[in-house]
Amino acid sequence: MQIGVNTWVWTSPLNDDEVRHMTAHVRALGFDWIELPIETPGEFDYARAADTIRAHGLGVSVCAAMGPDRDLIHPDEPIRANGVAYVRHCIDAAQTLGATNVVGPLYSAVGRTWQATPDERERDLELLVSHLRGLAAYADARGVVLCVEPLNRFETSFLNTTAQAIELIDRVSHPACRLLLDTFHMNIEERSLGDAIRAAGRRVQHIHACENDRGAPGSGHVPWDDVA
């Protein structure tokens, strides 16, 4: 297991100077890994960042930022197409960076909530499965794995629980489409974090570990023995 940290802990957005500073800082703190969000495509030089990260001996992952115009299940087709194009950009960036994982809520804009009937939800789920199969194939050809993250009910109405995420991953059924579980969101949505993680099993590729208030593990009330 490798332990890393996302640069959102300290700064946003990234640029070339921040990448250099953050990489050195993360290494000095003793982490094995750095996670780089891509808020605006091209906001830092991916090849230059890769050189810096390798020089510090760190692993790297890419964190997607799904905004209002990046949504794979939005009613408007241009927004869906832009969401697919953005995830492809993140995959290409990951390949250049030497990253193995592209992580995040790779389905809808963070903060978008809506009511849906069971039939409407099934329609959106099928649409997402179709998009993720294509994106997973694109990622797999570049040595990258997509890690889909459920969010709590206040940040999305679509994928909240590990059980819902398991259904999605099993329907996509591609080795380059797996799960990211985040203890902050799980602390809100799961009755048992341990049971949820055991149920997800080998589908899990990536974990975001933080407290109920987004703080450092051990400073709040997340049941870390269950997580372990």
Side-chain angles (χ1 to χ4, degrees):
M1 181 183 294
Q2 293 179 298
I3 307 297
V5 63
N6 189 302
T7 60
W8 267 331
V9 169
W10 296 284
T11 189
S12 172
L14 285 177
N15 56 42
D16 290 334
D17 288 340
E18 287 286 1
V19 170
R20 283 193 298 272
H21 171 68
M22 286 289 102
T23 303
H25 186 54
V26 166
R27 176 76 278 179
L29 289 172
F31 287 103
D32 310 305
W33 197 276
I34 188 169
E35 189 158 280
L36 303 179
I38 296 179
E39 297 181 43
T40 302
E43 64 192 357
F44 60 93
D45 186 305
Y46 306 136
R48 192 178 303 168
D51 290 341
T52 302
I53 291 164
R54 278 195 300 268
H56 285 82
L58 292 171
V60 59
S61 50
V62 167
C63 185
M66 303 300 288
D69 62 342
R70 301 168 184 164
D71 192 318
L72 274 60
I73 53 174
H74 197 278
D76 294 342
E77 194 280 332
I79 293 178
R80 295 198 301 271
N82 189 60
V84 170
Y86 168 73
V87 175
R88 281 179 174 253
H89 177 93
C90 289
I91 294 167
D92 291 337
Q95 183 184 26
T96 301
L97 285 161
T100 52
N101 299 341
V102 171
V103 311
L106 305 173
Y107 44 92
S108 183
V110 176
R112 184 167 84 88
T113 60
W114 66 99
Q115 291 185 322
T117 66
D119 287 345
E120 290 168 339
R121 179 178 175 78
E122 176 62 24
R123 176 203 63 204
D124 289 344
L125 189 58
E126 278 299 311
L127 179 61
L128 179 59
V129 167
S130 177
H131 282 316
L132 286 179
R133 280 181 183 152
L135 288 166
Y138 187 83
D140 195 33
R142 290 153 181 80
V144 174
V145 176
L146 303 178
C147 303
V148 182
E149 178 185 16
L151 302 181
N152 71 74
R153 69 194 69 184
F154 307 109
E155 298 185 44
T156 185
S157 55
F158 189 72
L159 208 66
N160 303 126
T161 66
T162 303
Q164 291 171 328
I166 289 170
E167 179 189 9
L168 171 66
I169 296 305
D170 287 354
R171 286 171 71 162
V172 173
S173 189
H174 194 290
C177 185
R178 303 185 70 189
L179 277 182
L180 156 64
L181 296 181
D182 185 320
T183 57
F184 169 78
H185 300 293
M186 296 177 78
N187 182 66
I188 297 171
E189 297 296 341
E190 303 293 348
R191 292 182 178 178
S192 166
L193 275 68
D195 287 348
I197 293 168
R198 280 186 287 271
R202 293 184 180 274
R203 301 174 186 85
V204 179
Q205 174 84 0
H206 204 87
I207 294 280
H208 279 172
C210 56
E211 274 296 349
N212 55 288
D213 63 349
R214 284 291 194 195
S219 63
H221 64 233
V222 168
W224 292 107
D225 286 346
D226 287 351
V227 173

